[in-house]
Amino acid sequence: DTAVSQTPKYLVTQMGNDKSIKCEQNLGHDTMYWYKQDSKKFLKIMFSYNNKELIINETVPNRFSPKSPDKAHLNLHINSLELGDSAVYFCASSPIGNGPYGYTFGSGTRLTVV
Amino acid sequence: GQNIDQPTEMTATEGAIVQINCTYQTSGFNGLFWYQQHAGEAPTFLSYNVLDGLEEKGRFSSFLSRSKGYSYLLLKELQMKDSASYLCAVATNAGKSTFGDGTTLTVKP
């Protein structure tokens, strides 16, 4: 009964590969996000979807493509992986875009590109 | 853009009180959040301030001054389990929260 679940938890892959990370929330929230946390622990927004519609797309290489089949799911596909993509990727959701409840984060996917 | 500043590291003693400051510059301010993140785990929501003043929640309190672009998180009766990173995040009416770099708090016996 995890609120925001991401898979896989760990992902080790070679440069140039394509990989996907999946995220699902069972909280009934309308808004979902992808954040990247680098080795210096800086948490940076990548994308935000509100009820399946893309509303935030930060300066992210177009190798990263989010997909939201419904408001409970937000997946992240990464093409042609590079060493610099190594980081922890967090999915999050919230009931209102930026309301008083804060985000509920998934447990993160630690991506290592070798 | 947004600038969010908070100290990189702080150390305090078990049972003491610690105040973690956060200053920010932004347009379209829509609230300020504090999150706690233990090593290797996801951030968890602690508090939200959108109006000036102090919000108290058990051992944790958060303060906001919008005119000064300033917030602090106050932790009382520190416990060893409070050792973690504390992230200040500023929300805007563009619909996103931007996080500061986080303050790593170490609680010593």
Side-chain angles (χ1 to χ4, degrees):
Chain A
D1 59 345
T2 304
V4 180
S5 59
Q6 294 179 230
T7 54
K9 192 169 174 63
Y10 299 96
L11 186 53
V12 181
T13 188
Q14 290 187 325
M15 271 178 19
N17 283 351
D18 304 338
K19 290 294 178 185
S20 292
I21 307 171
K22 296 186 176 182
C23 180
E24 176 182 2
Q25 54 97 1
N26 62 6
L27 299 167
H29 290 170
D30 288 316
T31 310
M32 295 185 72
Y33 311 82
W34 278 110
Y35 275 82
K36 178 181 179 181
Q37 189 168 45
D38 60 24
S39 57
K40 294 182 179 178
K41 308 301 181 190
F42 180 49
L43 201 59
K44 183 174 169 59
I45 190 167
M46 300 173 71
F47 302 102
S48 172
Y49 271 73
N50 189 50
N51 203 7
K52 300 193 299 177
E53 184 182 342
L54 179 67
I55 56 172
I56 293 173
N57 184 351
E58 290 293 285
T59 308
V60 176
N62 57 15
R63 298 182 295 105
F64 290 79
S65 52
K67 279 194 173 57
S68 182
D70 55 60
K71 75 171 194 177
H73 295 83
L74 179 60
N75 304 323
L76 183 66
H77 188 76
I78 315 170
N79 289 326
S80 304
L81 278 156
E82 300 177 357
L83 293 177
D85 297 332
S86 296
V88 181
Y89 292 84
F90 284 103
C91 175
S93 71
S94 67
I96 303 169
N98 248 332
Y101 309 104
Y103 296 170
T104 302
F105 283 86
S107 57
T109 296
R110 184 172 294 278
L111 171 66
T112 303
V113 182
V114 297
Chain B
Q2 292 173 300
N3 293 315
I4 302 173
D5 288 313
Q6 45 181 136
T8 304
E9 294 179 333
M10 298 184 74
T11 303
T13 305
E14 195 176 11
I17 299 173
V18 72
Q19 178 175 310
I20 302 173
N21 296 325
C22 172
T23 57
Y24 65 90
Q25 293 176 311
T26 190
S27 54
F29 178 80
N30 195 32
L32 187 141
F33 297 90
W34 284 96
Y35 289 83
Q36 180 190 61
Q37 185 177 24
H38 285 102
E41 297 183 10
T44 56
F45 168 74
L46 288 178
S47 68
Y48 173 74
N49 295 70
V50 67
L51 300 176
D52 290 350
L54 189 68
E55 295 279 345
E56 296 187 76
K57 216 190 258 190
R59 294 189 299 113
F60 293 5
S61 303
S62 56
F63 172 84
L64 176 67
S65 168
R66 288 171 297 170
S67 62
K68 295 181 180 177
Y70 168 68
S71 173
Y72 67 73
L73 180 70
L74 193 71
L75 292 77
K76 302 177 186 175
E77 301 168 18
L78 278 171
Q79 302 175 8
M80 299 299 290
K81 68 178 182 179
D82 297 330
S83 292
S85 285
Y86 291 86
L87 306 170
C88 170
V90 174
T92 68
N93 52 22
K96 69 177 182 180
S97 286
T98 299
F99 285 78
D101 291 350
T103 299
T104 300
L105 173 66
T106 302
V107 180
K108 296 187 172 177

